[in-house]
Amino acid sequence: MYDCTIVGGQIITPSGPVAADVALVEGSIAAIGHGLAGERVIDASGCYLLPGGVDPHVHLQLALGGLVSTDSFASGTIAAACGGTTTIVDFADPQPGQSMADALAARRAEADGQVAVDYGLHMTIPTWHAQSAERLAELPAMVAEGCATFKLYQAYARMELDDISLYRALAGVAKAGGGVVLHSETGPLLDHLRGEAVAADHTGAIWHERTRPARLEATAIHRAAEIAHLTGCPVHIFHVGCAEGVAEIVTARQRGVAISGESCPHYLLLTAEEHLGGPEGNLYICAPPLRAGADQSALWRALADGGLDLISTDHCPWTRREKMQRSFAQVPGGVPGIEGRLSLIHHFGVNGGHISLARWVELCCTAPARLMGLARKGSLLPGYDADVVIFDPKQEQTISADTLHEAADWTPFDGMTVSGWPRTVLLRGKVIVQDGEFVGTIGHGRFVKRTAQG
Ligand code: MN
């Protein structure tokens, strides 16, 4: 007799939907099969069963220039849970003079006891650390602490690494047995272009996109791939938004570079035309910027054929008021999205004919777990954590900030009606969402140590 069985649903396996039951024991998946007996039985008739979603790129309560991103660890992970995501990876950001170990401890002190789903942390290597042999000597200890991925920037003054710093950091990470996740844009030149626009009194939101050309996203990826090749360090390109960026990743992979890439729902579903809607255009400012319809087609194709590996959200929410600055150059970057990912990609990706059900699960659950070193996450197989989403493909939902659990008072996906929403979600065997409502406990989520990218 198992603790719990989930019966009557269709498991979305790597080869497609298969009718089978799932049996759980003590927070783990114990068996997949038919006629399994459980003390508790959850009916999943008419629903898909998938592994809990893994979102490897979110920014909860991120401190930035005197502001703090709108979702706390509590509200953000409740929203994640309601959207079917049971593991997130956020960031620890060392300040000048602060060791990585201290930054990790400080960030864990903010998150532990406050999370409703499991979480990991990428360790940021800012400029001042990349240029310090003493700081880079900490890398093996961070890998041992389960922070096996390091966030590097090729953009943003104060954070961005020039090619020499990038080389030194990647060499250090490779030696420590870790991997790198990368914000790839040619930052110094973008800063100059932005300064020119501001000097010419171009303040409208569309200038955000116009001063961050796609080619300068692609050439940054190109340089990073060359440095990854020189150092043998695995590199994952965050938030790819343009066709040119995809092409660089595909070319590098073909010549043997250990490179992967992700996109996000906002790049797939929105374009830079959103910036043209008057003051509201500021809401959609994020970096890299939203692009054009042709880029969306290229991104979907790459997600289908393996050119890109996964879908994250880069959830970085600010309130409407915080986004309403006088000039595009003053708007805090980022959009919310942690809750809608599975449903948006199911509706627009699977129902829209771009990807299969199996690829949907691969992109949102399995690949992020594998690439981010989450050994017990991302698959519905015996021995894995019993993180399960019972997904009702027929349930319609019109996305609105009023009904989402995200804290921001707006959503970039407002008014989109999707078919398919999580009905029930389990985290390590415990039901945390039932009939779309959060019934879990803040603090049930825990820090998960991650190994190097798989
Ligand atoms: Mn980000």
Side-chain angles (χ1 to χ4, degrees):
M1 180 75 82
Y2 298 103
D3 293 350
C4 174
T5 52
I6 304 170
V7 305
Q10 283 193 302
I11 299 178
I12 308 303
T13 75
S15 48
V18 174
D21 303 337
V22 179
L24 318 178
V25 171
E26 288 178 357
S28 296
I29 297 169
I32 306 284
H34 296 276
L36 308 172
E39 281 174 33
R40 175 177 184 194
V41 179
I42 298 176
D43 179 22
S45 301
C47 289
Y48 299 144
L49 301 180
L50 35 144
V54 176
D55 190 342
H57 185 175
V58 305
H59 302 277
L60 303 179
Q61 53 189 77
L62 165 74
L64 184 73
L67 300 175
V68 179
S69 66
T70 306
D71 271 308
S72 64
F73 275 107
S75 70
T77 54
I78 287 173
C82 290
T85 290
T86 52
T87 308
I88 57 164
V89 188
D90 203 287
F91 300 82
D93 299 310
Q95 300 306 304
Q98 187 182 37
S99 70
M100 293 186 196
D102 287 349
L104 174 60
R107 193 61 168 160
R108 284 200 56 183
E110 291 179 352
D112 287 339
Q114 293 297 315
V115 284
V117 302
D118 286 350
Y119 82 103
L121 294 170
H122 304 289
M123 176 60 60
T124 301
I125 305 181
T127 318
W128 47 87
H129 276 30
Q131 293 170 350
S132 157
E134 183 194 344
R135 296 306 186 196
L136 291 180
E138 279 195 274
L139 293 171
M142 290 301 99
V143 173
E145 290 290 328
C147 273
T149 46
F150 297 86
K151 169 78 181 283
L152 279 60
Y153 291 84
Q154 290 172 284
Y156 297 133
R158 273 169 53 85
M159 299 298 284
E160 67 201 4
L161 306 188
D162 60 22
D163 287 357
I164 296 169
S165 300
L166 203 56
Y167 173 83
R168 292 180 60 191
L170 262 64
V173 171
K175 196 165 164 222
V180 155
V181 294
L182 198 62
H183 181 126
S184 269
E185 287 184 291
T186 306
L189 186 47
L190 300 186
D191 292 346
H192 183 76
L193 296 178
R194 187 171 63 246
E196 281 186 343
V198 169
D201 207 25
H202 295 311
T203 56
I206 190 63
W207 286 92
H208 176 71
E209 196 274 339
R210 288 184 186 158
T211 56
R212 301 184 95 88
R215 286 303 318 162
L216 296 185
E217 187 180 333
T219 50
I221 295 172
H222 183 90
R223 292 203 321 284
E226 296 301 331
I227 296 168
H229 187 67
L230 284 172
T231 56
C233 183
V235 47
H236 174 74
I237 307 298
F238 268 171
H239 44 44
V240 178
C242 58
E244 293 91 334
V246 172
E248 291 293 348
I249 292 171
V250 170
T251 305
R253 190 184 289 122
Q254 281 167 350
R255 58 185 284 250
V257 179
I259 190 168
S260 54
E262 68 180 28
S263 194
C264 312
H266 45 282
Y267 299 113
L268 296 164
L269 304 177
L270 302 168
T271 69
E273 290 190 13
E274 302 290 344
H275 293 313
L276 297 170
E280 293 277 298
N282 276 1
L283 292 175
Y284 301 88
I285 287 179
C286 57
L290 304 178
R291 303 289 186 191
D295 294 287
Q296 294 181 331
S297 306
L299 294 171
W300 280 119
R301 270 198 306 277
L303 289 165
D305 70 15
L308 290 174
D309 300 85
L310 63 91
I311 296 171
S312 75
T313 64
D314 194 9
H315 178 76
C316 192
W318 308 99
T319 64
R320 188 174 277 275
R321 199 163 69 93
E322 287 164 341
K323 289 290 230 176
M324 289 301 130
Q325 302 293 326
R326 216 168 37 76
S327 158
F328 80 93
Q330 297 166 327
V331 177
V335 299
I338 202 169
E339 190 165 348
R341 183 181 61 132
L342 278 178
S343 292
L344 287 166
I345 301 306
H346 173 262
H347 182 80
F348 292 101
V350 178
N351 293 350
H354 295 292
I355 56 173
S356 66
L357 281 167
R359 187 67 182 155
W360 168 55
V361 170
E362 170 74 13
L363 290 167
C364 294
C365 313
T366 314
R370 185 177 63 245
L371 283 165
M372 297 303 150
L374 290 155
R376 295 176 57 84
K377 306 292 190 186
S379 293
L380 282 188
L381 291 171
Y384 280 76
D385 283 351
D387 301 344
V388 186
V389 178
I390 302 176
F391 188 90
D392 180 353
K394 296 272 193 288
Q395 191 192 324
E396 285 206 348
Q397 187 105 351
T398 298
I399 294 184
S400 154
D402 295 339
T403 48
L404 290 176
H405 298 77
E406 297 171 355
D409 55 355
W410 71 284
T411 165
F413 311 109
D414 187 51
M416 293 184 183
T417 296
V418 296
S419 190
W421 203 262
R423 178 195 290 174
T424 301
V425 179
L426 291 86
L427 174 66
R428 285 181 272 105
K430 185 165 176 272
V431 174
I432 60 170
V433 173
Q434 189 151 17
D435 297 322
E437 282 309 314
F438 180 70
V439 296
T441 317
I442 296 295
H444 176 219
R446 61 190 186 198
F447 179 74
V448 185
K449 286 190 170 193
R450 296 176 303 110
T451 55
Q453 298 176 4

